[in-house]
Amino acid sequence: MTDFKRYLVTAALPYANGPVHIGHLAGCYIPSDIYVRFLRAQKKDVKFVCGSDEHGVPITIRAMKEAITPQQVVDKYHAIIKDSFAKMGISFDIYSRTSNKVHHETAAAFFKKMYDDGLFEEKETEQFYDEKAKTFLADRYITGTCPVCGNPGAYGDQCEKCGSSLSPEQLINPRSTLSDAIPVKKKTTHWYFPLQNYEPFLKKWVLEDHQEWKNNVYGQCRSWLDNGLQSRAMTRDSNWGVKVPVPGADGKVLYVWFDAPIGYISATKELTGHWADYWCKEDTKLVHFIGKDNIVFHCIIFPAMLKAHGGFVLPDNVPANEFLNIEGDKVSTSRNWAVWVNEYIKDFPGCEDVLRYVLCANAPETKDNDFTWKDFQDRNNSELVSIFGNFVNRTFVLMHKLCGGKVPKLHEDILDETDKAIIAEIKAAKTKVQSALENFRFRDALFEVIDLARSGNKYMQDKEPWIVAKDLTPTISKGEGAAAAAQKSIDNSLHLCLQLTANLAVLINPFLPTTALKMLHMMKVVDKMLEWENAGSLKLLSVGYTLREPELLFRKIEDAEISAQVEKLKAGLVKSDVAGQKSEGGSQKSEVKSEKAQGSNFKPQIEYDDFVKLDLKVGTITAAEKVPKADKLLKLEVDLGFEKRTIVSGIALHFQPDTIVGKQVVVVTNLAPRKMRGIESNGMILMAENAEGQLKFVNPDETVNNGSSVS
């Protein structure tokens, strides 16, 4: 690890519009806490900052649904989230919130400097407006029928049923969620950040200087940069958020993704008067822990903001995890398909470390992973109880039984090959765990710790001190010498097992801090022993020192507890689905049946005759241009062989017009024409979304004739 003078570690600011679930923990909060505890054990100067993200559309939508103010929403959920993190042992140095005065001042000053330096583009655009509510509407405030799947409750930015990215112009029969009025277009002015101006800097900084970043992070950044960056609006029409600090900006606030990452800076300001040391000195290592859905903001937009503003260090690493599914299904807060942390804490009191263990051992570090309650039970019972806890318990029981409750002496003159092998493993474990942690491979690091406990069990089984103890009483055939030799053998095996136990406490501490403290209590030592320099040592427990009686580190989790959790999850899903269907005025057919409840974004089953109604043909894009005053729309000319069609497609955020001319695509040619921004669109282009959230064309492997049918 490079020798930085200080470390600043951030974890993504959770939205204060609901509790946190285990997907959040697995995504960034447990990995970041493990890393910080590891740094602290090394006596590094480290600050660990986070806080609630309390601005943005989801907050105001939640307030509207609950008939309360946005401030009441964030006050409620900030408290719940903060309590959940504390009880799970997430050891933030500060957990702040973006509604604090210091944050508003910091974010406004950041924007004002960039504004004064002439770094924004001021643009007048037309945006949707609710004439009844007399307010501009963010995309999420507009609902209508999805043009892809027919869902009547699609939002103006996405259909949550089929997952399609949308723009309000694409919705059929759009309505305002505030008043049910039909939204109209109205001119408004906003300030845009020209990201394209920072492409050369970002390409060098990311693609050349940080090739060591995780593949999922590096790959998503490359995809964005290869597709070309565009100006992004940094302000919104709203009364909830950080007010835009420039003339003529009444009723406008900073866009939440400009505002939120500055929350890391304002939280550090709250924490220490030396905040600038952590943000502005080049010998600081800044690390952002996030989920994969935040990669573009932390690796492209926020670094470009910091670069443009000047005077700030840039992140050294952004170790983002993928998503954690639950019981084979994607987490969905709207469908209540989630394991909520505050509920877990109530259902499994004293088992916080168990959840930390399972979520780390099964962390989605390189791909989406699946949490199941059965796996949770198996890992607890088979690994924590039967391997780690069993070794520690057996060691203490035998030490009290065979060594009078005191640490026995190590007789180096009789060490055998088995003893030497376990000594080598104890010393090697530190290097293995440290290397994995420094490279953000937390699953591998945890495996090494459990593997050391596994080796301890095997060593004890090989040495069999309980069998050797039969020779402690002299007999006619076995004299005093045999008894003394037996005691020496027992001393050696239990001395090494106790030193191994002490090493396990040091090594497990970043992962399971409560467990490490329990072990310290049993060993009657202070927490100074948990410092990283002690790992690998065989002198952590002094000879002749009296240790306490053993206490179980983990309890077995019973089948009935797991069944109850599975039923609770299913019951919550059914309740949520029925409520959702009632609100849409549709039938109460269970979506468990129509979507198979396990996950996927499957639509209801159709007959073959329904499918063949679609006329799918291959065409070539011959021209492309942006639709004026529409950020998401491109106007395309597509050659279908027998004719050329004009198609309006919501892909402008993913493709530059000149990069897609000549591309072959698959077109739904028999959709009824629709007018979008005054342009008649005659067809729909099929797209697919990759793992990084980027749209890709669905096209043939080889060039085929325009007009060829797809079947």
Side-chain angles (χ1 to χ4, degrees):
M1 181 180 287
T2 304
D3 187 23
F4 290 91
K5 187 172 182 179
R6 68 192 66 78
Y7 294 77
L8 178 62
V9 178
T10 74
L13 307 186
Y15 262 137
N17 68 327
V20 288
H21 53 67
I22 62 170
H24 295 127
L25 290 183
C28 69
Y29 301 110
I30 287 178
S32 59
D33 188 66
I34 292 170
Y35 185 67
V36 166
R37 288 178 181 274
F38 167 61
L39 292 175
R40 289 179 184 143
Q42 294 180 301
K43 304 178 186 177
K44 301 291 187 182
D45 178 355
V46 56
K47 301 298 182 189
F48 186 19
V49 302
C50 190
S52 296
D53 180 358
E54 300 184 334
H55 300 139
V57 174
I59 304 294
T60 50
I61 288 180
R62 168 76 73 167
M64 180 181 63
K65 287 181 178 179
E66 297 185 11
I68 57 179
T69 66
Q71 189 64 53
Q72 288 174 306
V73 170
V74 298
D75 286 347
K76 172 184 176 180
Y77 290 111
H78 170 76
I80 293 173
I81 293 169
K82 185 176 182 180
D83 182 67
S84 294
F85 284 146
K87 288 178 177 174
M88 284 303 303
I90 310 300
S91 58
F92 299 123
D93 289 303
I94 184 171
Y95 186 77
S96 187
R97 53 195 306 190
T98 59
S99 62
N100 282 353
K101 180 181 178 181
V102 65
H103 174 73
H104 278 243
E105 293 173 347
T106 302
F110 196 107
F111 182 93
K112 185 64 163 57
K113 182 182 184 303
M114 292 179 64
Y115 174 85
D116 290 343
D117 290 345
L119 299 177
F120 293 120
E121 299 170 343
E122 188 174 337
K123 295 183 182 181
E124 183 180 78
T125 61
E126 285 189 338
Q127 293 187 7
F128 283 104
Y129 186 81
D130 184 328
E131 292 182 311
K132 284 187 179 179
K134 300 189 183 305
T135 184
F136 284 97
L137 298 171
D139 292 350
R140 276 259 152 177
Y141 278 111
I142 303 171
T143 62
T145 300
C146 174
V148 179
C149 72
N151 169 29
Y155 290 106
D157 61 349
Q158 184 183 33
C159 174
E160 293 190 347
K161 187 170 184 179
C162 70
S164 297
S165 295
L166 301 172
S167 65
E169 290 89 346
Q170 293 174 283
L171 292 177
I172 300 168
N173 299 323
R175 294 278 179 176
S176 165
T177 59
L178 298 180
S179 67
D180 200 41
I182 298 174
V184 299
K185 284 288 187 175
K186 186 175 179 180
K187 290 182 178 180
T188 185
T189 298
H190 284 290
W191 287 268
Y192 286 72
F193 183 40
L195 277 172
Q196 63 273 19
N197 294 350
Y198 300 89
E199 270 192 41
F201 150 68
L202 288 167
K203 284 182 176 179
K204 181 182 185 307
W205 178 69
V206 177
L207 303 183
E208 295 181 23
D209 298 346
H210 286 293
Q211 296 183 24
E212 80 283 3
W213 284 4
K214 292 174 66 173
N215 289 338
N216 61 330
V217 177
Y218 189 85
Q220 189 173 139
C221 290
R222 177 176 284 281
S223 177
W224 275 82
L225 292 169
D226 286 349
N227 284 326
L229 302 178
Q230 302 176 42
S231 297
R232 291 179 70 102
M234 293 292 107
T235 59
R236 288 288 188 268
D237 289 291
S238 176
N239 291 314
W240 178 249
V242 178
K243 297 185 184 304
V244 177
V246 299
D250 293 342
K252 299 183 190 297
V253 298
L254 300 184
Y255 176 40
V256 68
W257 270 113
F258 184 94
D259 153 22
I262 298 173
Y264 301 137
I265 302 173
S266 60
T268 314
K269 280 187 175 182
E270 286 187 69
L271 176 64
T272 173
H274 302 289
W275 71 270
D277 289 351
Y278 296 89
W279 277 103
C280 305
K281 291 190 175 181
E282 291 298 326
D283 51 359
T284 295
K285 180 170 182 173
L286 172 61
V287 182
H288 294 311
F289 282 85
I290 58 171
K292 70 175 178 181
D293 52 336
N294 290 337
I295 289 174
V296 64
F297 299 104
H298 287 76
C299 298
I300 292 180
I301 298 175
F302 189 43
M305 289 166 52
L306 294 173
K307 179 73 173 176
H309 182 286
F312 288 96
V313 297
L314 300 176
D316 184 80
N317 212 315
V318 187
N321 274 359
E322 299 291 293
F323 290 150
L324 185 74
N325 299 327
I326 296 178
E327 299 287 349
D329 194 350
K330 292 181 179 179
V331 172
S332 172
T333 57
S334 63
R335 293 167 54 229
N336 199 31
W337 190 258
V339 176
W340 303 103
V341 176
N342 59 323
E343 293 185 5
Y344 171 88
I345 292 167
K346 293 177 183 177
D347 293 344
F348 291 93
C351 293
E352 291 80 10
D353 271 5
V354 176
L355 184 58
R356 286 177 66 108
Y357 177 82
V358 172
L359 294 181
C360 181
N362 191 37
E365 290 183 350
T366 57
K367 62 181 180 62
D368 289 358
N369 267 4
D370 194 37
F371 172 92
T372 69
W373 280 110
K374 184 66 172 66
D375 181 67
F376 170 85
Q377 180 188 28
D378 288 346
R379 288 188 183 276
N380 177 79
N381 294 352
S382 300
E383 297 171 17
L384 289 179
V385 174
S386 296
I387 297 176
F388 194 102
N390 178 59
F391 171 73
V392 174
N393 188 65
R394 290 173 77 193
T395 296
F396 269 71
V397 167
L398 288 170
M399 179 269 300
H400 277 278
K401 182 177 180 180
L402 302 178
C403 301
K406 297 180 179 180
V407 179
K409 181 181 179 181
L410 182 67
H411 307 277
E412 297 190 21
D413 57 314
I414 64 165
L415 290 176
D416 60 20
E417 292 305 314
T418 305
D419 298 327
K420 293 175 182 177
I422 198 65
I423 290 172
E425 285 199 53
I426 293 171
K427 292 180 177 179
K430 175 182 180 179
T431 301
K432 293 178 181 178
V433 174
Q434 180 166 328
S435 175
L437 289 175
E438 288 175 346
N439 289 285
F440 308 105
R441 293 185 286 105
F442 302 106
R443 290 175 60 177
D444 291 349
L446 183 57
F447 172 82
E448 294 295 344
V449 182
I450 297 302
D451 202 46
L452 180 61
R454 186 180 287 108
S455 295
N457 275 313
K458 184 179 184 306
Y459 169 77
M460 182 180 289
Q461 203 63 34
D462 290 341
K463 301 299 288 188
E464 297 182 319
W466 58 91
I467 299 296
V468 177
K470 294 178 180 179
D471 290 336
L472 290 178
T473 303
T475 63
I476 296 174
S477 60
K478 297 178 180 179
E480 295 288 344
Q487 187 61 60
K488 279 188 173 184
S489 175
I490 292 170
D491 288 350
N492 276 11
S493 58
L494 291 179
H495 179 94
L496 292 177
C497 284
L498 286 167
Q499 299 296 351
L500 193 154
T501 297
N503 272 270
L504 286 176
V506 179
L507 296 173
I508 204 65
N509 178 52
F511 306 92
L512 311 183
T514 302
T515 300
L517 291 178
K518 287 182 182 178
M519 296 172 72
L520 293 189
H521 176 75
M522 288 164 57
M523 292 182 285
K524 290 170 57 178
V525 294
V526 297
D527 56 8
K528 183 175 176 58
M529 196 193 79
L530 298 178
E531 293 174 356
W532 197 253
E533 64 186 10
N534 292 323
S537 171
L538 292 170
K539 297 182 179 180
L540 298 183
L541 297 175
S542 301
V543 172
Y545 191 61
T546 302
L547 306 186
R548 290 190 173 96
E549 292 288 337
E551 53 184 276
L552 295 179
L553 297 177
F554 310 100
R555 69 170 181 86
K556 186 179 179 182
I557 292 177
E558 304 296 338
D559 291 346
E561 296 177 89
I562 297 305
S563 297
Q565 291 300 319
V566 173
E567 290 306 312
K568 178 180 179 179
L569 190 60
K570 291 179 179 177
L573 173 68
V574 172
K575 179 180 179 181
S576 173
D577 284 344
V578 171
Q581 286 148 14
K582 284 182 179 178
S583 69
E584 291 177 9
S587 69
Q588 293 185 20
K589 291 181 181 178
S590 172
E591 288 196 22
V592 173
K593 295 179 181 178
S594 66
E595 294 191 16
K596 301 185 180 178
Q598 51 268 33
S600 35
N601 289 318
F602 287 134
K603 300 174 188 175
Q605 191 176 71
I606 63 172
E607 300 296 329
Y608 178 75
D609 288 344
D610 293 323
F611 170 73
V612 297
K613 292 177 183 177
L614 293 175
D615 189 15
L616 304 177
K617 295 189 183 299
V618 175
T620 298
I621 299 174
T622 56
E625 62 183 80
K626 291 183 179 179
V627 176
K629 302 180 181 179
D631 292 342
K632 297 182 180 181
L633 300 181
L634 290 184
K635 176 184 175 184
L636 309 177
E637 182 182 83
V638 181
D639 184 356
L640 294 169
F642 53 90
E643 66 178 13
K644 290 185 177 180
R645 294 267 188 102
T646 295
I647 297 175
V648 179
S649 183
I651 60 174
L653 296 181
H654 298 268
F655 301 98
Q656 290 290 337
D658 58 354
T659 65
I660 61 175
V661 174
K663 295 276 189 185
Q664 282 210 311
V665 294
V666 175
V667 180
V668 183
T669 62
N670 61 336
L671 282 180
R674 287 188 59 217
K675 277 201 171 183
M676 301 168 68
R677 300 303 294 249
I679 304 170
E680 185 171 85
S681 180
N682 284 278
M684 178 182 290
I685 294 175
L686 299 189
M687 309 294 296
E689 188 174 298
N690 67 11
E692 288 78 35
Q694 289 289 294
L695 293 182
K696 301 293 180 183
F697 291 113
V698 175
N699 52 20
D701 289 337
E702 300 177 356
T703 302
V704 298
N705 292 332
N706 290 333
S708 297
S709 295
V710 177
S711 59

